[in-house]
Amino acid sequence: SGFATAQGPYEKHCRALFESLDRIEKILSENEFLLGSRLTEADLRLFTTIVRFDPVYHGHFKCNIKQIETGYPNILRWTREVYQLPGIAGTVNMEHIKKHYYMSHTQINPTQVVPLNNGPDLSNPEVKPAKRPY
């Protein structure tokens, strides 16, 4: 939706994205992880998108119907849980992520201004897995 050059396609794809987020929110309201009680590759693949959502996709790509931090409590809990697993937080460099998106897509951000907000604090509150998830 973020690269759309017409209103109709933007709205169609933006709504589809949020329908998908709503489905994920429901799954995570019933499960600790996407496929139940165990961390899987699906969780790690989705994490890389969700960790970027509020600080990048919401504003840069105009995916702004809701934010993860305020609109999806179960996705936020899950994101914190994955982020807090050993070795994960060290792979997230939000300054690099934001600069990459906001400075490389000059067709949608010609000024290359990078916003200050880094999204929700993923290190607090601490989330403990129900059991060893992997």
Side-chain angles (χ1 to χ4, degrees), residues 27-132:
I27 290 168
L28 293 172
S29 75
E30 300 166 357
N31 296 298
E32 187 171 10
F33 296 101
L34 290 173
L35 300 177
S37 62
R38 307 246 338 143
L39 179 76
T40 66
E41 183 178 344
D43 292 287
L44 296 175
R45 289 181 177 270
L46 181 61
F47 174 79
T48 61
T49 296
I50 298 300
V51 78
R52 290 164 167 75
F53 195 88
D54 286 4
V56 177
Y57 302 167
H58 183 266
H60 187 57
F61 293 127
K62 301 174 189 72
C63 299
N64 60 2
I65 293 175
K66 293 184 195 177
Q67 290 182 290
I68 301 300
E69 184 170 25
T70 57
Y72 293 103
N74 293 297
I75 295 175
L76 179 60
R77 185 250 333 134
W78 167 87
T79 307
R80 284 185 169 129
E81 187 167 351
V82 174
Y83 180 84
Q84 293 172 21
L85 291 170
I88 301 293
T91 68
V92 178
N93 181 337
M94 196 53 67
E95 291 305 315
H96 173 77
I97 290 168
K98 291 188 321 182
K99 284 181 181 176
H100 164 75
Y101 282 96
Y102 283 97
M103 296 180 87
S104 67
H105 301 136
T106 55
Q107 70 275 33
I108 57 176
N109 187 29
T111 62
Q112 297 182 317
V113 172
V114 179
L116 296 173
N117 189 306
N118 286 334
D121 180 357
L122 298 178
S123 58
N124 288 299
E126 186 175 359
V127 178
K128 300 267 188 197
K131 60 182 181 179
R132 188 177 176 140

Side-chain angles (χ1 to χ4, degrees), residues 11-22:
E11 289 184 14
K12 174 185 174 186
H13 294 290
C14 189
R15 291 184 201 293
L17 167 64
F18 282 91
E19 288 170 7
S20 294
L21 288 172
D22 291 343

